[in-house]
Amino acid sequence: MAELAFVTDQRIFGGGESNLLRLAMSLSSMHSTTVIAPDGRLLEEAARAGLRTSRLPGSLSRWVKGVPISFNDRLLRIADQFDIVHAYSLHVLPGLFGHPRLLWTVHGPWEKPWGLRASTAARHLQRVIAVSRDVADHCAFPEPMKLTIHLGGVTRDACVQRQPTGVRDHLRVGVLARLQPIKGQDLAIAGMVRLASSSPQQRFQLVLAGDADPTSKADLAYAAGLRDVVVRARIEVPNLEILMPGFISDTATFLNQLDLLLVPSRYESFSMVTVEALACGVPVVVPDCGGPAEIVDSMAVGLRFRPGDAADISAKLSDAFASERFDPAVMVERAKDFSIERQRDRHLALYSELLA
């Protein structure tokens, strides 16, 4: 049994963090697995799941214009206790350089896995894992054989069709994402306002679940702006109710209460929530880019809109509510293509190769 460590500087709990938790839990039956992260929701959820945890101390490393900066060797001394160290966020990497079995999961083009950063990281990394084909296409490492693609996954017990929720007098659309501009909650509101305004006899409900990163002034300002828009929309469009319940820990229950999941993001590298919705038999409307375009491969499971286009979101929502092509059984089967067991087995094969 090997000693594995997943290391991230993320305090919040989004799609990437939920996948880290599922993967670590799945691996823990075969290897001793520890999650190293700052105090926050991720560390709390990992401890609640019974995983070994360790607090990431302070800000130990950063990147400055593609140049890695490590303030001391404290993080590397912690990492040296483990056989394999898996970096799950960008800024922990410089503090881990020097570990003999170091991996990095790249979550999106915002991590800039090309140029000086890629060439520097490649000298220290044994493997790089991209979370989707789109992310892999953004990577430019000097040794391409180090790059592989491991798609995220959901657990088997998530792949259960939803039960009828009873008769409602409104159509319920849900968004489950961190409150930040790239996630496009403003586009969701604008699209739903257009849809509700064009169908005044139909009642709609939009549920914007999620919270902002409390350490990000930009995200907090965006969230405040959303709340202002919601107040105005409630007055101007009486047949549209907009709710902002904050962080949702029980994703399956939330999804099973929806008529449709909307992913209004301007870009998504993978979109774990899209897979989770399909696993529950809930149709999706997603951007035609990145991971969602790869996941939603059939109009039997969902529709795709032009990224950043609120008018097209409104049109696709209207089409979705009128569609008779959605098939919950096909959705559940599609979700099984993204199982945590498949993701775990690919990681195990990679770890075995590195430990050989």
Side-chain angles (χ1 to χ4, degrees), residues 12-220:
I12 55 177
F13 196 76
E17 292 72 41
S18 69
N19 182 246
L20 184 161
L21 186 61
R22 287 194 192 102
L23 180 59
M25 290 172 62
S26 189
L27 289 165
S28 64
S29 62
M30 303 168 193
H31 293 295
S32 178
T33 306
T34 300
V35 175
I36 302 175
D39 286 331
R41 191 164 283 151
L42 172 59
L43 211 61
E44 293 168 2
E45 293 292 333
R48 190 174 294 117
L51 290 168
R52 293 170 55 187
T53 62
S54 179
R55 187 176 65 84
L56 183 72
S59 180
L60 303 180
S61 63
R62 301 292 291 174
W63 291 85
V64 179
K65 295 183 177 180
V67 178
I69 305 294
S70 181
F71 301 115
N72 57 54
D73 65 351
R74 191 174 174 188
L75 183 54
L76 183 57
R77 291 201 308 270
I78 295 172
D80 281 340
Q81 304 171 41
F82 299 91
D83 299 306
I84 291 177
V85 174
H86 199 139
Y88 234 68
S89 62
L90 171 67
H91 287 296
V92 299
L93 266 181
L96 297 170
F97 287 162
H99 192 281
R101 300 184 189 90
L102 177 61
L103 300 90
W104 174 29
T105 290
V106 184
H107 288 93
W110 55 84
E111 294 181 313
K112 299 180 180 178
W114 57 76
L116 179 61
R117 178 172 294 170
S119 60
T120 301
R123 293 197 292 269
H124 301 275
L125 292 166
Q126 277 58 59
R127 290 292 186 278
V128 179
I129 298 172
V131 300
S132 69
R133 291 179 180 85
D134 186 79
V135 172
D137 288 343
H138 283 91
C139 294
F141 289 91
E143 299 178 59
M145 290 301 292
K146 287 190 172 183
L147 178 66
T148 186
I149 301 169
H150 290 188
L151 302 176
V154 297
T155 54
R156 289 188 187 277
D157 57 6
C159 299
V160 177
Q161 292 188 46
R162 59 179 171 169
Q163 300 300 313
T165 55
V167 177
R168 292 197 305 267
D169 63 351
H170 58 264
L171 294 172
R172 181 179 291 158
V173 177
V175 175
L176 181 59
R178 192 180 312 169
L179 300 181
Q180 58 181 171
I182 197 170
K183 296 298 184 180
Q185 286 89 351
D186 57 310
L187 297 171
I189 296 171
M192 286 296 294
V193 164
R194 293 176 69 106
L195 178 62
S197 298
S198 67
S199 306
Q201 303 307 312
Q202 173 65 57
R203 291 186 61 202
F204 297 91
Q205 186 181 79
L206 173 63
V207 186
L208 301 173
D211 54 10
D213 181 350
T215 67
S216 170
K217 291 182 180 179
D219 290 357
L220 290 172

Side-chain angles (χ1 to χ4, degrees), residues 134 177 182-183 263 265-272 287 289-292:
D134 186 79
I182 197 170
K183 296 298 184 180
V263 180
S265 304
R266 291 172 168 86
Y267 174 79
E268 282 285 347
S269 57
F270 180 68
S271 186
M272 185 59 61
C289 66

Side-chain angles (χ1 to χ4, degrees), residues 198-339:
S198 67
S199 306
Q201 303 307 312
Q202 173 65 57
R203 291 186 61 202
F204 297 91
Q205 186 181 79
L206 173 63
V207 186
L208 301 173
D211 54 10
D213 181 350
T215 67
S216 170
K217 291 182 180 179
D219 290 357
L220 290 172
Y222 177 71
L226 288 175
R227 293 186 182 96
D228 290 341
V229 173
V230 167
V231 170
R232 293 196 299 272
R234 286 171 178 162
I235 297 171
E236 296 169 2
V237 191
N239 61 322
L240 173 61
E241 180 184 19
I242 305 178
L243 305 176
M244 297 183 70
F247 176 74
I248 297 291
S249 59
D250 189 347
T251 303
T253 297
F254 172 77
L255 292 170
N256 276 312
Q257 294 171 345
L258 303 179
D259 294 297
L260 184 144
L261 175 78
L262 171 62
V263 180
S265 304
R266 291 172 168 86
Y267 174 79
E268 282 285 347
S269 57
F270 180 68
S271 186
M272 185 59 61
V273 72
T274 298
V275 178
E276 291 170 332
L278 297 182
C280 293
V282 178
V284 296
V285 172
V286 302
D288 191 13
C289 66
E294 189 175 334
I295 297 166
V296 179
D297 64 345
S298 161
M299 286 190 291
V301 302
L303 301 177
R304 305 197 299 245
F305 63 86
R306 290 187 298 275
D309 189 335
D312 200 37
I313 289 176
S314 179
K316 293 304 190 296
L317 288 171
S318 180
D319 291 346
F321 285 129
S323 177
E324 297 181 356
R325 290 176 292 195
F326 294 146
D327 186 336
V330 176
M331 297 173 198
V332 172
E333 285 303 310
R334 180 57 176 156
K336 290 178 181 177
D337 291 335
F338 304 92
S339 71

